[in-house]
mmCIF file with all atom_site columns, all heavy atoms in Angstrom:
data_model
loop_
_atom_site.group_PDB
_atom_site.id
_atom_site.type_symbol
_atom_site.label_atom_id
_atom_site.label_alt_id
_atom_site.label_comp_id
_atom_site.label_asym_id
_atom_site.label_entity_id
_atom_site.label_seq_id
_atom_site.pdbx_PDB_ins_code
_atom_site.Cartn_x
_atom_site.Cartn_y
_atom_site.Cartn_z
_atom_site.occupancy
_atom_site.B_iso_or_equiv
_atom_site.pdbx_formal_charge
_atom_site.auth_seq_id
_atom_site.auth_comp_id
_atom_site.auth_asym_id
_atom_site.auth_atom_id
_atom_site.pdbx_PDB_model_num
ATOM 1   N N   . LEU A 1 447 ? -2.236 6.612  -16.982 1.00 95.00 ? 447 LEU A N   1
ATOM 2   C CA  . LEU A 1 447 ? -2.138 6.156  -15.657 1.00 95.00 ? 447 LEU A CA  1
ATOM 3   C C   . LEU A 1 447 ? -1.522 7.259  -14.773 1.00 95.00 ? 447 LEU A C   1
ATOM 4   O O   . LEU A 1 447 ? -0.404 7.804  -15.175 1.00 95.00 ? 447 LEU A O   1
ATOM 5   C CB  . LEU A 1 447 ? -1.301 4.870  -15.573 1.00 95.00 ? 447 LEU A CB  1
ATOM 6   C CG  . LEU A 1 447 ? -0.937 4.343  -14.184 1.00 95.00 ? 447 LEU A CG  1
ATOM 7   C CD1 . LEU A 1 447 ? -2.309 3.881  -13.519 1.00 95.00 ? 447 LEU A CD1 1
ATOM 8   C CD2 . LEU A 1 447 ? 0.043  3.188  -14.234 1.00 95.00 ? 447 LEU A CD2 1
ATOM 9   N N   . GLN A 1 448 ? -2.194 7.648  -13.724 1.00 93.00 ? 448 GLN A N   1
ATOM 10  C CA  . GLN A 1 448 ? -1.623 8.618  -12.838 1.00 93.00 ? 448 GLN A CA  1
ATOM 11  C C   . GLN A 1 448 ? -0.812 7.905  -11.816 1.00 93.00 ? 448 GLN A C   1
ATOM 12  O O   . GLN A 1 448 ? -1.211 6.845  -11.230 1.00 93.00 ? 448 GLN A O   1
ATOM 13  C CB  . GLN A 1 448 ? -2.756 9.464  -12.157 1.00 93.00 ? 448 GLN A CB  1
ATOM 14  C CG  . GLN A 1 448 ? -3.491 10.340 -13.191 1.00 93.00 ? 448 GLN A CG  1
ATOM 15  C CD  . GLN A 1 448 ? -4.797 10.996 -12.627 1.00 93.00 ? 448 GLN A CD  1
ATOM 16  O OE1 . GLN A 1 448 ? -5.813 10.786 -13.115 1.00 93.00 ? 448 GLN A OE1 1
ATOM 17  N NE2 . GLN A 1 448 ? -4.648 11.664 -11.562 1.00 93.00 ? 448 GLN A NE2 1
ATOM 18  N N   . VAL A 1 449 ? 0.362  8.427  -11.392 1.00 94.00 ? 449 VAL A N   1
ATOM 19  C CA  . VAL A 1 449 ? 1.264  7.707  -10.477 1.00 94.00 ? 449 VAL A CA  1
ATOM 20  C C   . VAL A 1 449 ? 1.729  8.658  -9.451  1.00 94.00 ? 449 VAL A C   1
ATOM 21  O O   . VAL A 1 449 ? 1.707  9.905  -9.434  1.00 94.00 ? 449 VAL A O   1
ATOM 22  C CB  . VAL A 1 449 ? 2.492  7.197  -11.338 1.00 94.00 ? 449 VAL A CB  1
ATOM 23  C CG1 . VAL A 1 449 ? 2.053  6.246  -12.339 1.00 94.00 ? 449 VAL A CG1 1
ATOM 24  C CG2 . VAL A 1 449 ? 3.242  8.365  -11.951 1.00 94.00 ? 449 VAL A CG2 1
ATOM 25  N N   . ASP A 1 450 ? 2.081  8.007  -8.263  1.00 90.00 ? 450 ASP A N   1
ATOM 26  C CA  . ASP A 1 450 ? 2.672  8.773  -7.158  1.00 90.00 ? 450 ASP A CA  1
ATOM 27  C C   . ASP A 1 450 ? 3.531  7.731  -6.317  1.00 90.00 ? 450 ASP A C   1
ATOM 28  O O   . ASP A 1 450 ? 3.539  6.626  -6.696  1.00 90.00 ? 450 ASP A O   1
ATOM 29  C CB  . ASP A 1 450 ? 1.613  9.349  -6.277  1.00 90.00 ? 450 ASP A CB  1
ATOM 30  C CG  . ASP A 1 450 ? 0.593  8.317  -5.786  1.00 90.00 ? 450 ASP A CG  1
ATOM 31  O OD1 . ASP A 1 450 ? 0.889  7.583  -4.801  1.00 90.00 ? 450 ASP A OD1 1
ATOM 32  O OD2 . ASP A 1 450 ? -0.485 8.206  -6.417  1.00 90.00 ? 450 ASP A OD2 1
ATOM 33  N N   . GLY A 1 451 ? 4.148  8.323  -5.273  1.00 88.00 ? 451 GLY A N   1
ATOM 34  C CA  . GLY A 1 451 ? 4.991  7.393  -4.432  1.00 88.00 ? 451 GLY A CA  1
ATOM 35  C C   . GLY A 1 451 ? 6.492  7.724  -4.652  1.00 88.00 ? 451 GLY A C   1
ATOM 36  O O   . GLY A 1 451 ? 6.832  8.293  -5.691  1.00 88.00 ? 451 GLY A O   1
ATOM 37  N N   . GLY A 1 452 ? 7.215  7.215  -3.736  1.00 86.00 ? 452 GLY A N   1
ATOM 38  C CA  . GLY A 1 452 ? 8.673  7.480  -3.750  1.00 86.00 ? 452 GLY A CA  1
ATOM 39  C C   . GLY A 1 452 ? 9.400  7.111  -4.975  1.00 86.00 ? 452 GLY A C   1
ATOM 40  O O   . GLY A 1 452 ? 10.324 7.793  -5.518  1.00 86.00 ? 452 GLY A O   1
ATOM 41  N N   . MET A 1 453 ? 9.011  5.971  -5.666  1.00 91.00 ? 453 MET A N   1
ATOM 42  C CA  . MET A 1 453 ? 9.735  5.487  -6.824  1.00 91.00 ? 453 MET A CA  1
ATOM 43  C C   . MET A 1 453 ? 9.496  6.316  -8.037  1.00 91.00 ? 453 MET A C   1
ATOM 44  O O   . MET A 1 453 ? 10.288 6.215  -9.031  1.00 91.00 ? 453 MET A O   1
ATOM 45  C CB  . MET A 1 453 ? 9.353  3.985  -7.126  1.00 91.00 ? 453 MET A CB  1
ATOM 46  C CG  . MET A 1 453 ? 9.824  2.961  -6.136  1.00 91.00 ? 453 MET A CG  1
ATOM 47  S SD  . MET A 1 453 ? 9.585  1.322  -6.791  1.00 91.00 ? 453 MET A SD  1
ATOM 48  C CE  . MET A 1 453 ? 10.912 1.107  -7.857  1.00 91.00 ? 453 MET A CE  1
ATOM 49  N N   . THR A 1 454 ? 8.497  7.187  -8.028  1.00 92.00 ? 454 THR A N   1
ATOM 50  C CA  . THR A 1 454 ? 8.198  7.996  -9.245  1.00 92.00 ? 454 THR A CA  1
ATOM 51  C C   . THR A 1 454 ? 9.234  9.044  -9.536  1.00 92.00 ? 454 THR A C   1
ATOM 52  O O   . THR A 1 454 ? 9.214  9.719  -10.503 1.00 92.00 ? 454 THR A O   1
ATOM 53  C CB  . THR A 1 454 ? 6.814  8.643  -9.080  1.00 92.00 ? 454 THR A CB  1
ATOM 54  O OG1 . THR A 1 454 ? 6.789  9.533  -8.047  1.00 92.00 ? 454 THR A OG1 1
ATOM 55  C CG2 . THR A 1 454 ? 5.712  7.566  -9.027  1.00 92.00 ? 454 THR A CG2 1
ATOM 56  N N   . SER A 1 455 ? 10.184 9.316  -8.501  1.00 91.00 ? 455 SER A N   1
ATOM 57  C CA  . SER A 1 455 ? 11.262 10.201 -8.734  1.00 91.00 ? 455 SER A CA  1
ATOM 58  C C   . SER A 1 455 ? 12.323 9.587  -9.746  1.00 91.00 ? 455 SER A C   1
ATOM 59  O O   . SER A 1 455 ? 13.171 10.335 -10.273 1.00 91.00 ? 455 SER A O   1
ATOM 60  C CB  . SER A 1 455 ? 11.984 10.618 -7.437  1.00 91.00 ? 455 SER A CB  1
ATOM 61  O OG  . SER A 1 455 ? 12.554 9.433  -6.808  1.00 91.00 ? 455 SER A OG  1
ATOM 62  N N   . ASN A 1 456 ? 12.220 8.289  -9.994  1.00 94.00 ? 456 ASN A N   1
ATOM 63  C CA  . ASN A 1 456 ? 13.043 7.585  -10.947 1.00 94.00 ? 456 ASN A CA  1
ATOM 64  C C   . ASN A 1 456 ? 12.493 7.769  -12.303 1.00 94.00 ? 456 ASN A C   1
ATOM 65  O O   . ASN A 1 456 ? 11.527 7.141  -12.746 1.00 94.00 ? 456 ASN A O   1
ATOM 66  C CB  . ASN A 1 456 ? 13.116 6.113  -10.535 1.00 94.00 ? 456 ASN A CB  1
ATOM 67  C CG  . ASN A 1 456 ? 14.112 5.332  -11.324 1.00 94.00 ? 456 ASN A CG  1
ATOM 68  O OD1 . ASN A 1 456 ? 14.312 5.576  -12.670 1.00 94.00 ? 456 ASN A OD1 1
ATOM 69  N ND2 . ASN A 1 456 ? 14.742 4.335  -10.804 1.00 94.00 ? 456 ASN A ND2 1
ATOM 70  N N   . ARG A 1 457 ? 13.107 8.676  -13.120 1.00 94.00 ? 457 ARG A N   1
ATOM 71  C CA  . ARG A 1 457 ? 12.602 8.972  -14.450 1.00 94.00 ? 457 ARG A CA  1
ATOM 72  C C   . ARG A 1 457 ? 12.670 7.850  -15.377 1.00 94.00 ? 457 ARG A C   1
ATOM 73  O O   . ARG A 1 457 ? 11.839 7.639  -16.257 1.00 94.00 ? 457 ARG A O   1
ATOM 74  C CB  . ARG A 1 457 ? 13.268 10.227 -15.008 1.00 94.00 ? 457 ARG A CB  1
ATOM 75  C CG  . ARG A 1 457 ? 13.057 11.503 -14.128 1.00 94.00 ? 457 ARG A CG  1
ATOM 76  C CD  . ARG A 1 457 ? 13.833 12.689 -14.702 1.00 94.00 ? 457 ARG A CD  1
ATOM 77  N NE  . ARG A 1 457 ? 13.353 13.018 -16.086 1.00 94.00 ? 457 ARG A NE  1
ATOM 78  C CZ  . ARG A 1 457 ? 12.320 13.772 -16.341 1.00 94.00 ? 457 ARG A CZ  1
ATOM 79  N NH1 . ARG A 1 457 ? 11.621 14.385 -15.324 1.00 94.00 ? 457 ARG A NH1 1
ATOM 80  N NH2 . ARG A 1 457 ? 11.976 14.043 -17.591 1.00 94.00 ? 457 ARG A NH2 1
ATOM 81  N N   . LEU A 1 458 ? 13.675 7.105  -15.248 1.00 96.00 ? 458 LEU A N   1
ATOM 82  C CA  . LEU A 1 458 ? 13.881 5.921  -16.054 1.00 96.00 ? 458 LEU A CA  1
ATOM 83  C C   . LEU A 1 458 ? 12.768 4.948  -15.821 1.00 96.00 ? 458 LEU A C   1
ATOM 84  O O   . LEU A 1 458 ? 12.184 4.404  -16.814 1.00 96.00 ? 458 LEU A O   1
ATOM 85  C CB  . LEU A 1 458 ? 15.250 5.189  -15.898 1.00 96.00 ? 458 LEU A CB  1
ATOM 86  C CG  . LEU A 1 458 ? 15.475 3.902  -16.473 1.00 96.00 ? 458 LEU A CG  1
ATOM 87  C CD1 . LEU A 1 458 ? 15.450 3.951  -17.998 1.00 96.00 ? 458 LEU A CD1 1
ATOM 88  C CD2 . LEU A 1 458 ? 16.787 3.267  -16.046 1.00 96.00 ? 458 LEU A CD2 1
ATOM 89  N N   . LEU A 1 459 ? 12.415 4.655  -14.594 1.00 96.00 ? 459 LEU A N   1
ATOM 90  C CA  . LEU A 1 459 ? 11.265 3.776  -14.307 1.00 96.00 ? 459 LEU A CA  1
ATOM 91  C C   . LEU A 1 459 ? 9.938  4.278  -14.865 1.00 96.00 ? 459 LEU A C   1
ATOM 92  O O   . LEU A 1 459 ? 9.201  3.469  -15.434 1.00 96.00 ? 459 LEU A O   1
ATOM 93  C CB  . LEU A 1 459 ? 11.185 3.581  -12.763 1.00 96.00 ? 459 LEU A CB  1
ATOM 94  C CG  . LEU A 1 459 ? 9.983  2.860  -12.298 1.00 96.00 ? 459 LEU A CG  1
ATOM 95  C CD1 . LEU A 1 459 ? 10.006 1.378  -12.626 1.00 96.00 ? 459 LEU A CD1 1
ATOM 96  C CD2 . LEU A 1 459 ? 9.832  2.954  -10.725 1.00 96.00 ? 459 LEU A CD2 1
ATOM 97  N N   . MET A 1 460 ? 9.686  5.574  -14.741 1.00 96.00 ? 460 MET A N   1
ATOM 98  C CA  . MET A 1 460 ? 8.454  6.090  -15.265 1.00 96.00 ? 460 MET A CA  1
ATOM 99  C C   . MET A 1 460 ? 8.406  6.002  -16.794 1.00 96.00 ? 460 MET A C   1
ATOM 100 O O   . MET A 1 460 ? 7.359  5.738  -17.348 1.00 96.00 ? 460 MET A O   1
ATOM 101 C CB  . MET A 1 460 ? 8.347  7.601  -14.816 1.00 96.00 ? 460 MET A CB  1
ATOM 102 C CG  . MET A 1 460 ? 8.131  7.762  -13.299 1.00 96.00 ? 460 MET A CG  1
ATOM 103 S SD  . MET A 1 460 ? 6.652  7.026  -12.704 1.00 96.00 ? 460 MET A SD  1
ATOM 104 C CE  . MET A 1 460 ? 7.173  5.431  -12.073 1.00 96.00 ? 460 MET A CE  1
ATOM 105 N N   . GLN A 1 461 ? 9.498  6.301  -17.524 1.00 96.00 ? 461 GLN A N   1
ATOM 106 C CA  . GLN A 1 461 ? 9.510  6.103  -18.955 1.00 96.00 ? 461 GLN A CA  1
ATOM 107 C C   . GLN A 1 461 ? 9.319  4.648  -19.350 1.00 96.00 ? 461 GLN A C   1
ATOM 108 O O   . GLN A 1 461 ? 8.578  4.287  -20.270 1.00 96.00 ? 461 GLN A O   1
ATOM 109 C CB  . GLN A 1 461 ? 10.816 6.652  -19.615 1.00 96.00 ? 461 GLN A CB  1
ATOM 110 C CG  . GLN A 1 461 ? 10.833 6.626  -21.067 1.00 96.00 ? 461 GLN A CG  1
ATOM 111 C CD  . GLN A 1 461 ? 9.653  7.362  -21.699 1.00 96.00 ? 461 GLN A CD  1
ATOM 112 O OE1 . GLN A 1 461 ? 9.545  8.615  -21.500 1.00 96.00 ? 461 GLN A OE1 1
ATOM 113 N NE2 . GLN A 1 461 ? 8.833  6.678  -22.431 1.00 96.00 ? 461 GLN A NE2 1
#
Side-chain angles (χ1 to χ4, degrees):
L447 179 64
Q448 295 170 236
V449 299
D450 57 79
M453 290 191 80
T454 60
S455 62
N456 186 324
R457 297 178 62 86
L458 172 61
L459 175 66
M460 293 297 95
Q461 184 59 60

